[in-house]
Amino acid sequence: MTQTLEQQTSGLYLQNSSQQIAFPLKHTEVKAKIAGNISRVEVTQSFENPFTTTLEAVYIFPLPDEAAVDDMLIHIGDRTIQGSIKKRQEAVAIYEQARKQGQTAGLLEQERDNIFTQSLANIKPGEQIDVIIRYSDSLKFEGGNYEFVFPMVVGPRYIPGITIEEDAVGGGSAIAPMTQNQDTDLVPDASRLNAPILPAGMRSRHDINVTIEINAGIEIQDINSPSHQIQIIREGQLVNVKLGGGDTIPNKDLILRYQVASNNIQTTTLTQADERGGHFALYLIPAFEYRPDEIVAKDMVFLIDSSGSQSGEPLMQCQELMRRFINGLNPDDTFNIIDFSDTTQQLSPVPLPNTSANRLLAINYINRLNAGGGTEMLGGIRTVLNLKATNPGRLRNIVLLTDGYIGNENQILAEVKQRLQPGTRLHSFGAGSSVNRFLLNRIAELGRGIARIIRHDEPVDEVVEKFFRQINNPVLANIQLQWEGDGESPIMYPSTPPDLFAEQPLVLFGRKPDAHSGKLHVTGIAAGGRRYQHSFHLNFPQTGNPAIAQLWGRSRIKDLMNQMVSGDTKGGVEAVTDTALTYQLLSQYTAFVAVSDDIRVNPNRDFISVQVPVEIPEAISHEGIFSNLSFGAAPGGGMVSSRQQAKKQSAPPLPSPVFAPSKPIQRFEEMESLAMEFDIPASEPEIGFADDDGFSNLDSLLSVPERAMPQFENLKALQKEESSVPRLQVVSVTGLNQEIISLLTQYLQSIQLPRGFGGDLVFEFQLSQGRVRQLLLDEQASSLKERTVIELMRRSLLAWLPEEILTSTVLLTLRIQP
């Protein structure tokens, strides 16, 4: 007999407008212990089934973007089930099999460095199950302050790209404003990034409690939190911090800052050894004096996000930051302002001198900014990176101000990595309660700049003053690392140390496979051209903090992932997977799974699957996110995971946010959209125009599979050139039958390829539930290296929808003949 949503026990659900929303997540308990620079954190999520039938709960939540997650287990009554780390595909298969057999199972997956999914299957009616997650992290330290951050909610991500229509196999797709749960060719996992958001004015039953124990070995002072009410309990040199009783809604990052009463914090080294070798963490803050008059004239370019998610307090905070930036410039500096949402605008086509008239012009421009539309960050990034420098002698500093609420982070990072000029620095500022720290931190790393994240309600004067003081005075550049000692040299991350700004630490994680002691010499060029050197003697006792090894493993994974921002490669994915398995770490290619030994529910009965609804981040506008969408609560509170089978009741979803108003798409708008994605000027339709990458503009507009873009079929008539057309040949395919191979060949050969490139491309992917997944480029076997062609083929394959539902591993070799 089929159960209905009305048959509920007394549990966590809420009546709203004659509909019900279920809240299976009851409580989150966070316990953190901080020793020196390292935190060890335990997160307990308590799920409860409010229905009279079996429940599967799916929860999308954040953790710090550099957290080394190394443990997961579940508690059922007085029983503990330990999770184990597996390759992600294997873990998902174990979880699904256990769910079908009636066993209780937990699955922890990583979608982004700071977005995670917890699935918990076969919770009995009225039952509570606890999921425990543990991780290590390295505290931020800057300007004398330690900072501990615990994120509590994933802000809604804008999803660009062409929708992949899973329910229309063989049909077409369209360019349209993306809702939160639509996969696209640019973000093929978009449906796994956004949890359903509660309507305005509705409160979740989920609450959170945080306890932080700080043991610095010396007196701690100036403890404060700009985000939460806190209680402070001191016991000698031990300090316990708890959330205030009235501040338990999980809708903002917890930020805790403190200082230690000592001047001896300029250098810290931590070591550890086990069968994997000797590991170390090194924290160095060079103590340099600098004079305010040692200032180099700068060209400052401010890139500000004015999309809908910035509506209200976040945009006002960014505007205030911008006003302070403009008024804080040095007399010889030049500046410009660019803002982006659906489109990109700029204050001036050329840098403006820092005169009173130009400052007034800039302030008026800033004051007129309004938030609205989608976060098309790629257009803004391309515009600012392509700006011509009028004075090559000036150091260009780009300052990005955004909440980072996008799903195509890697596309942005790939653009920065490829196009950032050697003499340019890219800094990032996030203003808000729950910004995308992963994106902001990585942009600054790749941009050789500084990342700053402040709340929407924090004073900006000191932040801006400190920022200018730092970028005016880079204190250590061209940092080199040299090992002196027996055996192998250590493997260190970051592999290329960044330049340091004033009061900024150098943080290194290393692994010496043979664990032999030795000296590490750090050298660099200080301000004024002076040579700097500092040496560390390192040995590796068996005792030590085990978190050091985990943090090295996490740093290696981060470095490997940074190398794959343009797309997954076979070698890169294998290296990440091997590291994650060796160090028992969660990654995008590994997952934790825990399964009960016994059959706990009847596998032949229906079950309800609910995705946990979440609060909208504090100070974020519902109107800005949801645009014209009307709100109405739906029972169950969430979408159903794409992995789940048909034999279940799915709880209808809450409304999905629309990030830009729906409107008819005109032909020029379509061309402009594609031109922006492929970096082609849409305003120059002459046949034969070529950009820096060798594309003709029309070829590039036709470089998307016809079936995915039916609105462009008649554009072929515009092509008047009689030149040769590149040919694509499917050399070999394994894992598909001949009929599907023929369909795939026909699909790929319909793609209009750019001229001038040839060679082989070898891909490996999973075909599952009618979709291409886990698409890898075999970079060793591929002879064609052109990034734009590879990206075109990736997106084309991700948009392919075979007419049969198959599950297979496919090896595909393509040959492009120019």
Side-chain angles (χ1 to χ4, degrees):
M1 178 178 177
T2 302
Q3 300 289 322
T4 64
L5 290 177
E6 284 74 23
Q7 293 176 294
Q8 295 169 318
T9 63
S10 58
L12 294 174
Y13 62 93
L14 183 64
Q15 190 78 18
N16 181 67
S17 302
S18 301
Q19 294 178 313
Q20 294 170 328
I21 297 176
F23 297 100
L25 180 58
K26 179 180 178 181
H27 178 72
T28 297
E29 186 74 25
V30 180
K31 295 181 179 179
K33 292 188 175 182
I34 298 173
N37 303 76
I38 306 298
S39 64
R40 182 67 178 169
V41 184
E42 178 179 283
V43 181
T44 303
Q45 300 165 346
S46 298
F47 294 88
E48 185 176 84
N49 183 357
F51 303 108
T52 56
T53 191
T54 302
L55 173 69
E56 177 184 48
V58 180
Y59 177 40
I60 296 173
F61 66 99
L63 289 175
D65 61 283
E66 295 191 10
V69 181
D70 58 13
D71 196 16
M72 186 272 275
L73 50 90
I74 57 178
H75 281 169
I76 308 173
D78 58 357
R79 298 170 55 193
T80 298
I81 303 169
Q82 180 65 51
S84 58
I85 193 81
K86 304 284 185 184
K87 292 183 179 180
R88 186 168 182 174
Q89 188 177 2
E90 180 184 354
V92 170
I94 292 171
Y95 173 85
E96 287 296 335
Q97 182 66 20
R99 185 190 57 74
K100 292 176 184 177
Q101 292 177 348
Q103 296 165 283
T104 294
L107 176 69
L108 178 62
E109 301 170 271
Q110 178 183 315
E111 317 299 344
R112 297 289 186 273
D113 283 32
N114 59 342
I115 301 179
F116 301 81
T117 300
Q118 178 66 64
S119 303
L120 192 59
N122 293 329
I123 310 173
K124 291 181 178 180
E127 180 177 56
Q128 176 177 312
I129 296 180
D130 294 338
V131 178
I132 298 174
I133 301 165
R134 298 188 179 110
Y135 68 85
S136 298
D137 201 5
S138 180
L139 266 64
K140 303 297 181 187
F141 177 79
E142 193 158 351
N145 284 307
Y146 284 95
E147 184 175 87
F148 171 86
V149 176
F150 183 81
M152 297 186 181
V153 66
V154 176
R157 302 305 199 246
Y158 173 78
I159 308 299
I162 301 169
T163 310
I164 300 173
E165 299 280 2
E166 289 189 66
D167 58 349
V169 175
S173 303
I175 299 177
M178 294 296 98
T179 57
Q180 74 178 129
N181 291 327
Q182 289 178 292
D183 292 342
T184 73
D185 62 336
L186 284 177
V187 193
D189 62 346
S191 58
R192 299 185 61 83
L193 300 182
N194 286 316
I197 296 174
L198 290 172
M202 181 175 288
R203 168 75 175 92
S204 168
R205 302 296 178 90
H206 172 212
D207 66 352
I208 190 166
N209 185 52
V210 182
T211 304
I212 305 167
E213 178 185 285
I214 308 172
N215 185 359
I218 52 178
E219 184 184 351
I220 300 168
Q221 59 191 20
D222 296 333
I223 304 173
N224 70 89
S225 172
S227 61
H228 286 75
Q229 303 169 28
I230 58 174
Q231 300 175 356
I232 302 171
I233 304 170
R234 294 180 179 270
E235 298 178 6
Q237 294 180 346
L238 197 68
V239 176
N240 283 283
V241 180
K242 297 183 178 181
L243 289 189
D247 210 352
T248 60
I249 301 175
N251 65 344
K252 55 189 174 182
D253 292 354
L254 167 64
I255 303 170
L256 183 70
R257 296 171 183 152
Y258 62 92
Q259 294 182 339
V260 295
S262 172
N263 294 323
N264 301 319
I265 55 173
Q266 301 302 306
T267 302
T268 302
T269 55
L270 302 169
T271 58
Q272 179 266 349
D274 56 27
E275 68 280 0
R276 298 166 297 193
H279 301 85
F280 65 87
L282 182 152
Y283 303 83
L284 170 66
I285 307 172
F288 290 120
E289 296 290 337
Y290 57 85
R291 298 197 307 271
D293 58 341
E294 292 178 348
I295 294 173
V296 178
K298 305 179 300 299
D299 176 23
M300 300 294 300
V301 184
F302 303 100
L303 177 62
I304 183 169
D305 178 356
S306 58
S307 63
S309 63
Q310 291 275 97
S311 182
E313 294 181 51
L315 180 61
M316 289 190 287
Q317 183 76 317
C318 285
Q319 287 173 308
E320 179 61 17
L321 278 165
M322 289 281 293
R323 287 188 285 264
R324 297 288 180 180
F325 281 139
I326 295 298
N327 289 324
L329 293 171
N330 295 317
D332 294 332
D333 292 345
T334 57
F335 67 90
N336 205 346
I337 299 172
I338 298 171
D339 69 282
F340 67 90
S341 56
D342 290 327
T343 57
T344 301
Q345 292 77 227
Q346 62 190 71
L347 172 66
S348 169
V350 295
L352 297 176
N354 184 19
T355 66
S356 58
N358 285 337
R359 288 196 300 273
L360 180 61
L361 185 70
I363 297 299
N364 289 335
Y365 185 92
I366 294 165
N367 293 341
R368 289 196 300 269
L369 291 175
N370 289 309
T375 314
E376 293 289 348
M377 187 179 292
L378 185 62
I381 288 290
R382 281 181 169 161
T383 298
V384 77
L385 293 180
N386 288 333
L387 281 178
K388 302 300 182 184
T390 56
N391 187 341
R394 291 177 180 269
L395 177 65
R396 170 164 285 175
N397 284 271
I398 301 170
V399 179
L400 169 66
L401 299 97
T402 181
D403 53 27
Y405 285 170
I406 59 172
N408 61 322
E409 292 102 328
N410 272 357
Q411 190 183 27
I412 303 301
L413 299 177
E415 201 70 20
V416 172
K417 190 172 183 180
Q418 183 192 31
R419 295 183 181 271
L420 188 74
Q421 297 299 313
T424 299
R425 296 188 185 278
L426 174 54
H427 313 280
S428 61
F429 271 76
S433 66
S434 307
V435 301
N436 185 353
R437 292 171 182 263
F438 159 60
L439 177 65
L440 292 163
N441 288 335
R442 294 300 184 279
I443 280 179
E445 287 175 16
L446 293 176
R448 302 186 297 276
I450 295 171
R452 286 287 175 275
I453 297 171
I454 66 171
R455 282 178 51 83
H456 53 281
D457 51 7
E458 282 191 85
V460 302
D461 300 37
E462 183 180 345
V463 174
V464 172
E465 180 186 348
K466 183 176 180 180
F467 171 72
F468 275 127
R469 187 169 71 242
Q470 288 184 307
I471 68 169
N472 283 337
N473 298 278
V475 297
L476 192 61
N478 193 27
I479 297 174
Q480 303 291 322
L481 307 172
Q482 184 178 5
W483 179 260
E484 178 187 344
D486 296 333
E488 307 172 62
S489 296
I491 306 165
M492 290 177 283
Y493 297 104
S495 51
T496 303
D499 293 348
L500 298 186
F501 298 93
E503 302 175 323
Q504 178 187 7
L506 171 65
V507 181
L508 292 172
F509 293 99
R511 169 180 172 259
K512 194 158 191 309
D514 56 21
H516 292 170
S517 61
K519 287 184 179 180
L520 178 65
H521 303 291
V522 179
T523 61
I525 305 300
R530 294 177 291 112
R531 187 174 184 273
Y532 170 86
Q533 178 171 336
H534 194 102
S535 298
F536 300 87
H537 182 77
L538 297 172
N539 52 46
F540 303 98
Q542 290 298 318
T543 58
N545 190 336
I548 304 305
Q550 306 305 91
L551 291 172
W552 178 86
R554 184 67 189 83
S555 297
R556 173 169 165 77
I557 290 172
K558 173 182 161 183
D559 187 85
L560 291 167
M561 295 298 293
N562 281 345
Q563 297 174 34
M564 293 193 292
V565 290
S566 295
D568 288 354
T569 62
K570 185 175 181 181
V573 169
E574 288 176 352
V576 170
T577 303
D578 289 346
T579 303
L581 293 176
T582 299
Y583 286 84
Q584 300 287 290
L585 293 174
L586 194 62
S587 72
Q588 285 187 231
Y589 315 115
T590 53
F592 278 99
V593 63
V595 178
S596 67
D597 293 330
D598 56 332
I599 306 298
R600 305 190 68 250
V601 302
N602 185 344
N604 297 317
R605 296 287 299 273
D606 291 345
F607 71 99
I608 294 174
S609 185
V610 172
Q611 189 162 15
V612 175
V614 300
E615 307 275 349
I616 195 166
E618 181 185 66
I620 296 296
S621 164
H622 270 84
E623 182 180 358
I625 294 294
F626 285 82
S627 185
N628 298 324
L629 187 68
S630 60
F631 289 94
M639 72 169 188
V640 179
S641 167
S642 61
R643 291 193 304 270
Q644 292 147 17
Q645 305 298 315
K647 191 170 184 179
K648 65 182 179 299
Q649 281 185 266
S650 62
L654 289 174
S656 300
V658 177
F659 294 85
S662 296
K663 58 183 177 182
I665 299 174
Q666 302 301 319
R667 179 172 166 183
F668 176 74
E669 290 171 330
E670 293 165 345
M671 291 178 65
E672 186 177 46
S673 174
L674 281 184
M676 181 179 70
E677 288 191 27
F678 284 93
D679 202 14
I680 309 299
S683 59
E684 301 187 24
E686 298 88 353
I687 304 301
F689 169 80
D691 72 356
D692 294 338
D693 292 321
F695 279 92
S696 77
N697 61 323
L698 184 58
D699 284 340
S700 297
L701 292 176
L702 293 174
S703 293
V704 177
E706 294 173 14
R707 186 164 66 89
M709 305 205 62
Q711 62 269 43
F712 283 99
E713 289 179 355
N714 60 354
L715 283 181
K716 285 185 178 180
L718 299 175
Q719 191 168 19
K720 299 177 182 178
E721 288 187 331
E722 297 295 332
S723 58
S724 60
V725 177
R727 291 176 55 242
L728 184 147
Q729 177 187 357
V730 177
V731 177
S732 65
V733 184
T734 62
L736 299 176
N737 61 42
Q738 192 57 50
E739 181 181 357
I740 301 300
I741 291 174
S742 297
L743 291 172
L744 175 60
T745 301
Q746 181 181 2
Y747 171 80
L748 292 174
Q749 289 181 342
S750 71
I751 300 168
Q752 289 286 334
L753 298 168
R755 292 188 294 273
F757 303 105
D760 290 355
L761 291 175
V762 181
F763 291 100
E764 179 180 321
F765 58 86
Q766 302 295 317
L767 203 57
S768 175
Q769 299 176 338
R771 285 274 303 278
V772 171
R773 306 177 192 276
Q774 300 177 38
L775 178 63
L776 308 179
L777 172 71
D778 188 335
E779 70 277 33
Q780 298 299 322
S782 298
S783 59
L784 197 159
K785 305 299 182 182
E786 175 58 32
R787 173 177 171 256
T788 49
V789 180
I790 295 172
E791 172 67 10
L792 170 60
M793 298 311 302
R794 282 186 187 277
R795 293 177 62 180
S796 301
L797 285 168
L798 289 168
W800 178 50
L801 298 173
E803 295 180 358
E804 294 184 17
I805 303 299
L806 301 172
T807 300
S808 178
T809 299
V810 180
L811 297 177
L812 172 66
T813 300
L814 305 175
R815 179 163 297 152
I816 297 175
Q817 298 174 334

